[in-house]
Amino acid sequence: MDKKRIIVTGGAGYIGSHTCVELINAGYTPIIIDNFFNSERFIVDRIEQITGLRPDLIEVDCTDYSGLMTLLKGYKGIEGIIHFAAYKAVGESTQKPVDYYYNNIASTTALLKLMNILGFNNFVFSSSCTVYGQPDELPVTENSPIKTAESPYGRTKQMCEDVMKDYQKANQDQKVVSLRYFNPIGAHSSSLIGELPRGVPNNLVPYITQTAAGLRDHLTVFGDDYDTPDGTCIRDYIHVVDLAKAHVAAIEYLIRQKNGIYNVFNLGTGRGNSVLEVIRTFEEVAGLKLNYKIGPRRSGDIVKVYADVAKANKDLEWETELDLKDALRDAWSWERSLKEN
Ligand code: WQD
């Protein structure tokens, strides 16, 4: 019997690798498609080390439609596609907008064309809370207005969601979901996989763990004069393992659907934490004082955003099981494992 195969583009990346582990734990066989532009080959070995199963690996760029067609047309038993592969640095996207539009949109359209021709179904798209911009009301629901994105990166996510909606309207049997992530943090409890930022981390938590590990002199808090209780920005930080499990739940949700569907889900914890709260929680978990300074605001930052996750809880039959402390503990353990290896 053909194994329950799931194509995972960007499967050697941060969220992709954690999702491959949870797919295997749920009895699926991931087929990783990755060009290793922003990921490392050894992560595939680590997935095997954690689960005992080595995913198939196809090394190709997701914008290479004919390459994808050649490599995938022989596969049987494909139960779904999870599309992570994308450029995702907000700041970089303002410097290289065309690279971002080409890569993020062309990869999505190539895969959708392929789905149709090869008779695949159940497409899960990696979207982001960035599509909401600065929400007027909190918590954010899936019906909250989509605002003008703050960056080309955010616009590629909005545009890809529109592409998928039009695709599903024109192909009514197709089943498609867009998962809007809030702020993924943390690492697998084994410390064998985790976040591998290239160069200076843009995101808060890897910058914190690298500072604590002595790789950075200090963390700069980007502004403490916002309209929040302690003056620092508020985000919804979700453990990457909870996020990975939500992708398995999304695939199973699509498989359950008798008819075609396009749907959207927020994936967060439903709770907001400020930058200073994250720092304090990290200090408590790691048992150290973090060297940080208050600096100027970072342009493009929104003040406060956290998710209403009732829809995902109900429809995906998924709930977060881990909290901020768990995520910071696992992030710190992963950082220390990197230093040892
Ligand atoms: C969080 C908070 C910063 C670094 C981005 C993308 C989003 C998603 C997740 C892809 C903010 C503050 C940060 C630092 C700081 N990526 N900060 N000092 O900007 O909420 O979201 O990453 O999908 O699309 O926009 O995450 O971790 O960069 O920042 O004070 O050195 O930490 O100002 O308030 P962000 P972040």
Side-chain angles (χ1 to χ4, degrees):
M1 196 264 274
D2 278 320
K3 292 180 189 161
K4 302 190 296 182
R5 289 193 166 97
I6 304 290
I7 292 170
V8 184
T9 74
Y14 176 39
I15 307 171
S17 55
H18 287 82
T19 300
C20 284
V21 166
E22 298 309 327
L23 283 167
I24 293 167
N25 291 344
Y28 293 93
T29 301
I31 301 170
I32 291 177
I33 295 183
D34 212 307
N35 64 358
F36 298 104
F37 175 79
N38 189 23
S39 53
E40 303 295 340
R41 281 173 177 69
F42 77 83
I43 291 294
V44 183
D45 304 328
R46 295 289 179 88
I47 293 170
E48 182 180 15
Q49 204 177 336
I50 295 169
T51 64
L53 186 146
R54 186 175 188 80
D56 288 358
L57 173 61
I58 299 177
E59 192 166 343
V60 69
D61 188 309
C62 283
T63 60
D64 176 2
Y65 171 72
S66 53
L68 281 169
M69 173 64 86
T70 307
L71 291 160
L72 287 177
K73 66 183 176 200
Y75 270 95
K76 296 279 176 277
I78 300 286
E79 299 231 357
I81 295 185
I82 305 178
H83 179 35
F84 290 106
Y87 296 159
K88 60 164 188 166
V90 173
E92 184 187 56
S93 76
T94 52
Q95 286 130 37
K96 302 177 180 172
V98 175
D99 292 2
Y100 271 68
Y101 285 117
Y102 178 71
N103 184 66
N104 292 4
I105 297 169
S107 60
T108 304
T109 51
L111 287 162
L112 292 174
K113 277 165 66 84
L114 203 85
M115 294 266 294
N116 223 2
I117 291 169
L118 294 180
F120 297 161
N121 208 334
N122 307 319
F123 188 79
V124 176
F125 178 72
S126 164
S127 191
S128 166
C129 64
T130 203
V131 303
Y132 295 115
Q134 176 58 66
D136 300 324
E137 285 176 21
L138 289 170
V140 175
T141 74
E142 289 82 357
N143 299 318
S144 296
I146 300 299
K147 296 241 186 111
T148 306
E150 306 273 335
S151 68
Y153 161 75
R155 263 187 288 287
T156 67
K157 292 300 181 183
Q158 292 176 339
M159 292 162 90
C160 285
E161 289 196 2
D162 289 339
V163 166
M164 291 183 298
K165 270 186 275 191
D166 290 341
Y167 169 77
Q168 202 282 327
K169 273 195 202 119
N171 303 277
Q172 296 278 320
D173 65 323
Q174 289 291 285
K175 301 184 273 182
V176 180
V177 289
S178 210
L179 302 181
R180 292 174 179 165
Y181 310 155
F182 284 69
N183 287 58
I185 60 169
H188 192 263
S189 56
S190 64
S191 294
L192 287 170
I193 55 175
E195 198 163 2
L196 283 169
R198 290 216 164 143
V200 179
N202 296 303
N203 297 136
L204 176 65
V205 170
Y207 207 107
I208 287 177
T209 58
Q210 287 193 9
T211 301
L215 301 176
R216 309 282 163 204
D217 174 65
H218 66 279
L219 167 80
T220 302
V221 174
F222 296 143
D224 69 346
D225 57 354
Y226 286 99
D227 179 18
T228 62
D230 66 15
T232 63
C233 295
I234 290 172
R235 296 287 185 275
D236 184 333
Y237 296 97
I238 178 170
H239 197 298
V240 65
V241 172
D242 277 330
L243 191 58
K245 289 179 176 174
H247 286 75
V248 180
I251 281 284
E252 296 188 330
Y253 164 82
L254 288 177
I255 290 171
R256 284 199 298 273
Q257 303 308 306
K258 300 254 178 310
N259 305 311
I261 191 169
Y262 175 76
N263 215 340
V264 179
F265 295 100
N266 284 341
L267 295 181
T269 65
R271 296 183 300 278
N273 286 107
S274 73
V275 175
L276 288 177
E277 283 171 342
V278 173
I279 292 170
R280 268 200 300 280
T281 308
F282 178 78
E283 289 180 328
E284 183 193 330
V285 157
L288 55 80
K289 283 304 285 167
L290 188 78
N291 185 16
Y292 70 91
K293 296 183 172 65
I294 305 295
R297 294 181 173 192
R298 176 174 71 175
S299 73
D301 269 339
I302 55 172
V303 186
K304 208 167 21 175
V305 64
Y306 54 92
D308 177 322
V309 289
K311 186 180 175 190
N313 294 159
K314 176 173 172 289
D315 292 0
L316 300 185
E317 299 167 13
W318 162 87
E319 306 237 337
T320 51
E321 297 160 21
L322 300 163
D323 63 14
L324 180 65
K325 267 189 181 174
D326 296 318
L328 293 171
R329 178 202 63 226
D330 293 338
W332 180 224
S333 171
W334 163 247
E335 187 68 56
R336 278 177 294 146
S337 77
L338 287 175
K339 204 168 175 177
E340 284 148 24
N341 295 329

